[in-house]
Amino acid sequence: MRPEGTPHSFGSTIPVTIDLATHVVSYRQKAIRLPTREFALLQVLVRQPGRIVPRDIIEREIYLSLDEIESNAVDVLIHNIRRKFDREIIRNVRGAGWLVIKDAS
């Protein structure tokens, strides 16, 4: 068990690092603390770098009740994350879903 406040990060093979303790996301030398749902969405994508994650999986992972979801909720969250960092942080695969690209190095 790790002490409270100790950073635990995902993202060693991708250009995105997320800190589970603080909800701080780092991308291209920019670090920002994200709101809960934006952080949860990015966490779902980072757990599967290079893999397309469809909308229904994202919705199931970040919303407690599927009844509370607006049809464009995921799109809005992705737009907000891209605005804070860069459009390339999350890639769209038309008709399939979204992904975080693996680091080329």
Side-chain angles (χ1 to χ4, degrees):
M1 192 165 136
R2 64 186 169 83
E4 187 68 31
T6 302
H8 179 75
S9 300
F10 285 114
S12 60
T13 63
I14 58 174
V16 178
T17 303
I18 62 172
D19 185 317
L20 298 175
T22 63
H23 285 202
V24 172
V25 174
S26 300
Y27 178 74
R28 294 188 177 170
Q29 295 148 354
K30 192 175 197 179
I32 299 174
R33 185 178 187 283
L34 294 180
T36 302
R37 286 218 169 112
E38 290 175 18
F39 183 82
L41 185 150
L42 202 50
Q43 188 177 1
V44 169
L45 296 175
V46 167
R47 282 194 306 238
Q48 302 180 62
R51 290 188 156 183
I52 299 167
V53 182
R55 177 184 304 273
D56 63 321
I57 300 294
I58 293 171
E59 289 174 344
R60 205 171 325 132
E61 292 279 333
I62 66 175
Y63 290 97
L64 295 176
S65 168
L66 294 177
D67 295 335
E68 67 181 84
I69 303 173
E70 295 292 326
S71 63
N72 67 337
V74 172
D75 302 284
V76 170
L77 293 172
I78 289 172
H79 171 78
N80 291 343
I81 293 167
R82 286 175 168 167
R83 191 169 33 101
K84 291 173 184 172
F85 291 99
D86 182 304
R87 180 161 180 75
E88 294 300 311
I89 190 169
I90 299 172
R91 301 259 177 102
N92 176 264
V93 179
R94 191 175 183 107
W98 294 270
L99 69 137
V100 172
I101 300 295
K102 284 186 179 182
D103 203 354
S105 55

